Amino acid sequence: MRVILIFMFSMSLFSDTYFITQKEYGALLYNHPRGIGCEKCHGENGKGMVIATYYTKGKLKRLKGGNITNLNFKNFYNALNSQIFAMPRYYLTDSEIQTLYQYLHQKSPDHAK
């Protein structure tokens, strides 16, 4: 039995098949990267949305998640690795950021190159 398990494990290391597709993995990262998903602030398609409205000094203010579909990869990468007001840090790996970027831009036809 042990030999069979070792054989199956070693075969899976050299297999070209994955448990989920790259697109499915991107969707998981976008919706639940580390607890709070990107879609909560950037919307289902990354175009941005109003997160909260509030009054300050008698004026109505809106806290919005920005449109991230128009970012090129360098700016997208830098934004995820910077401390930005109201945006949580996710500490994604380079591979996860690349997968997330590809997923987002597969969903949006007017993405940045």
Side-chain angles (χ1 to χ4, degrees):
M1 182 66 169
R2 179 182 273 176
V3 173
I4 293 172
L5 289 175
I6 292 171
F7 174 75
M8 290 175 61
F9 177 72
S10 64
M11 291 303 291
S12 70
L13 291 176
F14 302 106
S15 173
D16 286 340
T17 59
Y18 297 96
F19 180 67
I20 61 174
T21 66
Q22 195 78 352
K23 186 175 182 180
E24 290 169 329
Y25 184 45
L28 289 172
L29 288 172
Y30 189 75
N31 294 306
H32 308 288
R34 302 287 189 262
I36 300 173
C38 308
E39 87 287 354
K40 300 292 186 202
C41 299
H42 299 286
E44 185 179 325
N45 293 311
K47 301 282 186 184
M49 59 187 280
V50 174
I51 303 165
T53 56
Y54 59 96
Y55 283 93
T56 183
K57 298 180 183 178
K59 293 185 178 184
L60 179 66
K61 299 282 186 169
R62 289 183 176 85
L63 177 61
K64 292 180 70 175
N67 180 351
I68 56 175
T69 63
N70 59 0
L71 298 175
N72 63 33
F73 180 74
K74 181 180 178 184
N75 291 338
F76 184 80
Y77 182 91
N78 289 339
L80 281 168
N81 287 303
S82 301
Q83 188 63 43
I84 298 174
F85 173 76
M87 183 168 158
R89 288 289 305 267
Y90 292 110
Y91 301 100
L92 299 172
T93 66
D94 289 351
S95 177
E96 288 172 323
I97 293 172
Q98 181 68 41
T99 299
L100 185 55
Y101 183 81
Q102 289 172 352
Y103 167 75
L104 182 63
H105 291 89
Q106 288 173 351
K107 290 182 64 126
S108 176
D110 59 335
H111 62 277
K113 299 277 184 207

